[in-house]
Amino acid sequence: MIDFTSRQLRAFLLVAQHRNFSRAAAALFITPSGLSLLIRELETQLGVRLFDRTTRHVSLTSAGLQLQDVALRNLQELDGAMSHLGQSVGDICPSFSLGAPTFWTASVLAKAIKEFRTRCPDFQLRVFDGDTATILPRVESGSLDMGLGFFFKHLTGIRQTPLFRFSLVVIRENKGQTSRRSSIPWSALKGERIIALQSPLPLQQLIDKHLAKAGVVYQPTLVLNYLNSQIAMVEAGEGLAIVPSFTIPECHRRGLAFSRLINPVARLDLCQIRQAGKRLPPIAQDFTAFLQSYIAGWAGRSGIL
């Protein structure tokens, strides 16, 4: 018995359709090398070559032509059956999955889910909490319906929907001062003791770019992995930190002073991401619309800059 997967067959059909591995890989949201591996595995299992390949041309072999009709017919039947079953189950108990950064999961998402359940109590939810570097591949592979996060570049095969725009603020120990909403330029940070995140993180790279443009040269007093750690070390008096404005409620809780960074204002867009060719379940669409409104209300109540 040959053990093959529907993903192998979809890869085969896309190559047969596009006659090009790069275009087929893009349609499947994987790399060309990953697609080639799927085809090689299928050819090895079948014991036949499915494509004649040159540097400029891809064509079906006689064996590939035989497989094409059978694979297309069976996948159409499978997709139809799965869609019918999924719709039936979804009508009974709608469900979706999402990934979100740990800070967001704890400070905002948990309360948002609780409120959403008062409007739509009968749904199942799977939450993955991690950083954007681990959320993104799960969305790309389809193991998560959608993700939340801050993404600093265009993502191929991924649709980004902005939910709310934040900015960067500098936080410091409140030594008898009030945490009023003042603004300071980036250049005012010259000579300050700065607690940073790890340099490979996109957020820290954005911060370092703005500091460099303002002529601020620094050696971090501490280099940490998480925003919560930064905030705690600022509270401990180890220096100041540059953090997204969505951390302001936590900074308030710890009695820290904060100032908005200007000249320029650095914008951070919280986005929902999903596969470009994938339609979200209706319950996930409803939750996204609710979440956008919820975050705007939460930001207003929290004095977010």
Side-chain angles (χ1 to χ4, degrees):
M1 180 177 178
I2 299 175
D3 183 19
F4 58 85
T5 67
S6 63
R7 189 168 177 80
Q8 288 173 320
L9 293 182
R10 293 184 199 282
F12 162 73
L13 288 173
L14 282 169
V15 176
Q17 174 188 347
H18 291 282
R19 297 293 199 273
N20 182 284
F21 273 71
S22 295
R23 288 196 293 270
L28 198 59
F29 306 122
I30 61 175
T31 62
S33 61
L35 178 65
S36 295
L37 179 60
L38 288 173
I39 298 300
R40 284 199 303 271
E41 288 176 344
L42 182 58
E43 289 178 328
T44 300
Q45 289 164 337
L46 292 172
V48 296
R49 194 174 72 254
L50 298 173
F51 296 99
D52 287 323
R53 289 165 258 188
T54 68
T55 55
R56 295 186 178 182
H57 185 69
V58 176
S59 61
L60 285 163
T61 63
S62 58
L65 287 169
Q66 291 180 51
L67 179 61
Q68 184 179 26
D69 291 339
V70 176
L72 182 59
R73 183 171 63 252
N74 280 274
L75 277 180
Q76 287 175 340
E77 291 178 359
L78 177 62
D79 287 343
M82 295 296 288
S83 177
H84 177 73
L85 289 171
Q87 184 175 2
S88 298
V89 173
D91 290 342
I92 297 171
C93 185
S95 65
F96 69 100
S97 58
L98 78 153
T102 52
F103 191 98
W104 268 92
T105 302
S107 61
V108 180
L109 188 59
K111 293 179 180 178
I113 291 170
K114 182 177 181 179
E115 183 170 326
F116 186 67
R117 282 201 183 278
T118 64
R119 309 181 183 195
C120 183
D122 298 323
F123 73 93
Q124 292 184 349
L125 172 66
R126 181 166 61 89
V127 177
F128 172 81
D129 59 330
D131 57 29
T132 54
T134 54
I135 292 169
L136 178 58
R138 284 168 169 78
V139 174
E140 290 175 324
S141 69
S143 63
L144 288 175
D145 291 315
M146 64 182 185
L148 302 177
F150 298 87
F151 304 91
F152 297 89
K153 60 182 180 180
H154 173 73
L155 304 173
T156 302
I158 294 294
R159 176 173 295 178
Q160 298 188 49
T161 302
L163 299 181
F164 196 83
R165 173 164 285 182
F166 297 94
S167 60
L168 288 175
V169 298
V170 60
I171 60 172
R172 64 183 76 230
E173 192 178 8
N174 190 352
K175 298 179 179 179
Q177 306 168 8
T178 61
S179 56
R180 59 187 178 85
R181 300 177 189 173
S182 60
S183 299
I184 63 171
W186 288 85
S187 58
L189 300 182
K190 291 179 180 178
E192 294 280 7
R193 299 169 63 241
I194 299 176
I195 301 169
L197 294 171
Q198 296 288 342
S199 58
L201 294 175
L203 175 59
Q204 189 60 48
Q205 291 175 2
L206 175 68
I207 291 169
D208 287 342
K209 182 180 74 173
H210 282 288
L211 288 171
K213 285 184 177 180
V216 179
V217 179
Y218 76 105
Q219 287 293 329
T221 58
L222 288 171
V223 178
L224 303 169
N225 291 304
Y226 301 105
L227 289 171
N228 272 325
S229 301
Q230 274 187 300
I231 295 169
M233 287 301 173
V234 172
E235 184 183 20
E238 292 300 310
L240 58 77
I242 300 165
V243 295
S245 58
F246 60 76
T247 64
I248 284 177
E250 178 64 15
C251 295
H252 271 309
R253 191 182 72 80
R254 292 178 180 268
L256 301 178
F258 59 88
S259 302
R260 188 186 196 196
L261 284 163
I262 60 173
N263 299 334
V265 174
R267 303 296 189 184
L268 296 174
D269 287 334
L270 175 68
C271 292
Q272 176 233 65
I273 61 170
R274 62 184 176 89
Q275 287 183 356
K278 181 179 180 180
R279 184 176 178 82
L280 287 176
I283 186 66
Q285 296 179 42
D286 292 344
F287 180 74
T288 300
F290 163 81
L291 187 62
Q292 188 168 30
S293 175
Y294 180 89
I295 291 173
W298 170 79
R301 295 190 300 272
S302 302
I304 301 294
L305 301 175

